[in-house]
Amino acid sequence: MNKKLAAALTRDDRLEDAGMHADDRSTCHTHQSWAEDCEDRHRQPTAGQLLAEAHEIERIRRS
């Protein structure tokens, strides 16, 4: 991570804590990168994916 990205992440974190909406970030807190570099990783889960995940968690708990 370069200094410019680190500074931008810190700035966006502070602005978000102060009330800025997360969608207005220029950086991605999750991936510690520029927002445009990881926007395709932030897809909304489908109902089928959530249901499959819930079933998998339940299967693991029963094991």
Side-chain angles (χ1 to χ4, degrees):
M1 175 184 319
N2 63 38
K3 290 180 182 182
K4 186 175 179 179
L5 175 57
L9 282 161
T10 300
R11 184 196 71 235
D12 281 354
D13 288 344
R14 289 182 181 156
L15 288 170
E16 194 173 353
D17 288 344
M20 178 182 79
H21 193 279
D23 289 345
D24 294 333
R25 292 181 67 103
S26 63
T27 61
C28 176
H29 177 76
T30 303
H31 299 110
Q32 299 292 289
S33 63
W34 296 106
E36 66 265 7
D37 293 342
C38 69
E39 63 186 308
D40 62 330
R41 295 187 202 169
H42 294 276
R43 296 186 193 135
Q44 294 293 326
T46 64
Q49 291 169 328
L50 295 173
L51 184 59
E53 183 177 336
H55 285 300
E56 180 65 10
I57 291 169
E58 189 61 32
R59 184 190 68 78
I60 291 168
R61 286 183 181 153
R62 289 184 191 158
S63 301

